[in-house]
Amino acid sequence: MGQTRSSGRNQRMDLYRGAAIYGVVLLHVISPGGLASGIRALARFGVPFFFLTAGYFSLNAAPKTLGRRAVRTGRLLLLSCLPYLLLGMWLAAKREESVLKWLSSLFRSSTLLELLAFQTVPLPYAWQLWFLGALFAVYLWWWAVTRGFLLAGRNIPYDGFAVGALVLLAVHLILGEGFALLKLEADTRILRSALLDGLPFFILGVWCAFRREALRRRKTPWHLLILGGGLLSLAESALAGQQELYLGTLAVLAGMTGRCLRYRRAPAGRLSAALQYCGRELTLYIFAVHMLVLALFREISWLSWLGELPWLLLLAVAALSTLAALGLVRLKNFSSGRDA
């Protein structure tokens, strides 16, 4: 998904994606409280950045290419559900419940409606797979838009779409952080969905690619925008509690994207190279498996002691998820080579 190395791939974007996925793991492993709440607030940029970069690399992509990306994402979602399904069967048996009864509970009309509306996967520890469902839906939507404008012989109004994306993000902030400040509650499934999370950031990513030359020439101090956005996110977290998105998160994302456009090369070093590889090859796989790894630590009795050491648990989940992702990438490459 993106340019090849020979065509000058944006190394810094890969670097930030690699850092972002471990921020996502932190969000899902470490519970709020004390220092962890502040770190979680700063890590909120991860999922939006994945949608944004997916959009960035989708500018000028042919409908056929977008269709392939949608198929790959949908296939990964379906394959990812299988181990979580087995986990659910094991947990049902562990609770001495009927496995068949538990399986039948998955096939309700409400389950399908929630999957379509909110990309909710009704399997234990698998709620985070909404991201893959949302990415699949967004790719399908952009495929339809691109194909429609191509058939009509018209140019896509990128600036108009970007304004619409900002409106959707405003709705997200009002229903999330705004409601929290007013002591009201909003359904987090609405906030964490393709419509209010995936689509607007994807569109903004496409717009950034469309306007990249103008953005690259701007003298904006992007690093100060990242710093200011991080501080604002900490303040918002203290006032509104843990939310899916902060206004400060948008500032952080703007600063990160600006730096990616201005400084395409990443710093040298082994850590930088490792994060670039992770951002380029492993991100979606780590996203798919990390909650499964966490489930094993929580549900297997002789491993549950790690729950008393949350930061050690975080390191263990991150490390094993990365190893699992490496194995899946090798398996995919082996299968591709064999098919060829």
Side-chain angles (χ1 to χ4, degrees), residues 256-279:
M256 291 174 60
T257 305
R259 286 187 64 82
C260 286
L261 296 179
R262 182 181 296 175
Y263 309 107
R264 294 170 60 85
R265 296 185 62 83
R270 292 185 178 180
L271 177 60
S272 176
L275 286 175
Q276 288 175 60
Y277 177 78
C278 178

Side-chain angles (χ1 to χ4, degrees), residues 65-184:
T65 300
L66 295 170
R68 286 199 300 267
R69 292 177 185 176
V71 169
R72 285 200 300 265
T73 305
R75 184 169 59 227
L76 178 59
L77 173 61
L78 290 176
L79 293 176
S80 298
C81 287
L82 292 179
Y84 289 96
L85 179 64
L86 294 175
L87 173 66
M89 295 169 64
W90 175 64
L91 291 177
K94 185 180 177 182
R95 296 190 300 267
E96 299 183 352
E97 296 179 6
S98 169
V99 174
L100 289 178
K101 184 177 180 180
W102 178 79
L103 286 172
S104 64
S105 70
L106 300 177
F107 298 96
R108 299 191 300 259
S109 58
S110 59
T111 300
L112 179 60
L113 289 175
E114 289 184 2
L115 179 61
L116 293 175
F118 310 118
Q119 297 76 57
T120 302
V121 177
L123 296 172
Y125 289 95
W127 60 267
Q128 88 289 351
L129 293 181
W130 76 269
F131 165 73
L132 293 178
L135 185 60
F136 170 72
V138 171
Y139 272 136
L140 280 182
W141 177 84
W142 190 244
W143 167 83
V145 167
T146 302
R147 183 173 174 79
F149 276 91
L150 182 64
L151 291 176
R154 299 176 59 187
N155 294 324
I156 298 174
Y158 295 107
D159 292 334
F161 275 128
V163 172
L166 293 176
V167 171
L168 289 175
L169 290 180
V171 172
H172 186 138
L173 288 169
I174 291 170
L175 293 178
E177 186 177 353
F179 270 38
L181 291 172
L182 295 173
K183 308 302 181 184
L184 301 173

Side-chain angles (χ1 to χ4, degrees), residues 12 24-25 52 70 72 97 136 182 207 228 234 272 287 289 321:
R12 192 170 292 269
V24 169
V25 174
L52 191 147
R72 285 200 300 265
E97 296 179 6
F136 170 72
L182 295 173
W207 181 82
L234 291 175
S272 176
F287 207 108
V289 305
S321 299

Side-chain angles (χ1 to χ4, degrees), residues 242-254:
Q242 293 295 313
Q243 300 298 319
E244 296 297 325
L245 182 69
Y246 299 113
L247 186 62
T249 306
L250 300 183
V252 169
L253 286 167

